[in-house]
Amino acid sequence: MKVTLADGTAIEYQDAGRGPPIVLLHAFPLAHAMWRPQIEVLGRSHRVIAPDQRGFGGSGGFRDAPSMNRMADDVADLLDALLVAEPVVLGGLSMGGYVALAFARRHPERLRALILADTRAEADTDEAKANRERLIALAERHGAAGVIEQMMPKMVGDETRSQRPEVIEEIRKMATAQTTEGVCNALRAMRDRPDSTPFLGAVKVPTLVLVGTEDTLTPPANAEAIGRGIAGARLAMVPGAGHISNLEKPADFSRAVDEFLRSLA
Ligand code: MLT
């Protein structure tokens, strides 16, 4: 489905199921389709809204300087466009988690609960910023395909690599469909995002922090740091999963989210 936001940008999204609303924000450089397993399971009890974030999938790109704040405001604008006035559960994986934290800062009144998966609160280090520059240069030469080949060794865990090569293919297919412009702008937005650590104490909604035990991009230590920062946050490990834990271990991931959602009811 497609909707046009107030600034004229078209946003592609999936809207499935009925019940309290939950919005799911995808990782870089993927699209809403990465939530396929969770849309199926959570859609039995919830209205699941999964957008392609600005510059990805079928959605339009940035009109101004790329930022996580703009992507967070897009979520609020999307909810307005869909006439969702009640507070939502907002879940994001990795880049989606950065956007979810920006949303929590900018639109706290619209938040019922937070799910932060395989992500971190900290800003990029100088080394990480330099790596963003290298990836932007790589994308300009070889497109999204070049970027995903570089990232793939860290996207999934050993168990997925050895036992579920189809998951790697699904990630590769989704990533290579992205445009160079969308990938480069998201890299700039992630490079420039602020440190959310000082803000964690201000999060007052129930929060679930999830992480694959084999995640090396945003390892369990990052999840534990978020858990320490947000009062009452629950921490759930996804055994045998790497960074894209929701696709690597869909049943374990969905079960943890489902339990959390039930605890809110
Ligand atoms: C992601 O999965 O969204 C990215 O790995 C996040 C990042 O590069 O910081």
Side-chain angles (χ1 to χ4, degrees):
M1 284 181 261
K2 244 182 190 170
V3 72
T4 303
L5 301 187
D7 78 342
T9 302
I11 294 288
E12 175 100 31
Y13 67 101
Q14 190 167 346
D15 190 348
R18 285 163 70 163
I22 172 168
V23 179
L24 297 175
L25 301 177
H26 62 79
F28 171 90
L30 305 179
H32 83 267
M34 73 165 250
W35 294 113
R36 177 184 46 74
Q38 284 70 43
I39 291 170
E40 191 189 325
V41 173
L42 305 177
R44 293 179 198 138
S45 55
H46 284 71
R47 177 178 181 185
V48 187
I49 300 166
D52 287 339
Q53 296 177 91
R54 197 175 277 257
F56 291 95
S59 294
F62 286 93
R63 293 165 177 233
D64 302 314
S67 71
M68 293 289 123
N69 285 348
R70 178 64 261 170
M71 291 162 94
D73 292 350
D74 286 343
V75 176
D77 291 348
L78 174 64
L79 293 172
D80 286 343
L82 299 182
L83 304 177
V84 178
E86 68 186 282
V88 299
V89 178
L90 182 60
L93 191 141
S94 199
M95 178 184 77
Y98 307 156
V99 176
L101 281 169
F103 183 94
R105 194 167 55 237
R106 294 167 74 81
H107 305 282
E109 73 291 348
R110 304 198 75 156
L111 207 54
R112 167 75 182 94
L114 259 182
I115 300 168
L116 299 169
D118 300 281
T119 193
R120 60 162 60 84
E122 297 87 350
D124 275 8
T125 59
D126 288 345
E127 191 190 340
K129 284 183 203 283
N131 197 41
R132 301 283 187 208
E133 298 303 331
R134 282 192 288 276
L135 281 179
I136 290 169
L138 184 67
E140 283 166 349
R141 280 198 314 278
H142 300 291
V147 171
I148 196 61
E149 284 326 309
Q150 173 94 12
M151 290 179 71
M152 197 58 99
K154 292 191 161 182
M155 290 294 261
V156 298
D158 288 342
E159 193 180 315
T160 301
R161 220 178 334 275
S162 62
Q163 294 176 27
R164 286 182 300 281
E166 68 282 4
V167 173
I168 298 178
E169 269 325 296
E170 189 173 0
I171 292 170
R172 178 177 284 123
K173 198 169 160 207
M174 221 182 296
T176 51
Q178 307 309 322
T179 64
T180 299
E181 189 192 2
V183 165
C184 289
N185 278 337
L187 286 164
R188 294 183 183 107
M190 290 193 287
R191 175 196 64 196
D192 297 339
R193 74 187 192 285
D195 181 10
S196 290
T197 311
F199 160 75
L200 293 177
V203 174
K204 299 296 178 210
V205 292
T207 299
L208 173 67
V209 187
L210 279 158
V211 65
T213 53
E214 298 181 7
D215 186 347
T216 55
L217 264 179
T218 48
N222 289 127
E224 283 158 9
I226 297 174
R228 279 194 301 276
I230 300 178
R234 291 187 190 191
L235 188 60
M237 299 283 171
V238 186
H243 186 58
I244 307 295
S245 60
N246 77 301
L247 273 178
E248 297 183 61
K249 289 286 179 133
D252 291 342
F253 189 101
S254 299
R255 191 176 314 111
V257 172
D258 189 50
E259 277 171 23
F260 175 66
L261 294 176
R262 281 173 201 278
S263 77
L264 302 174

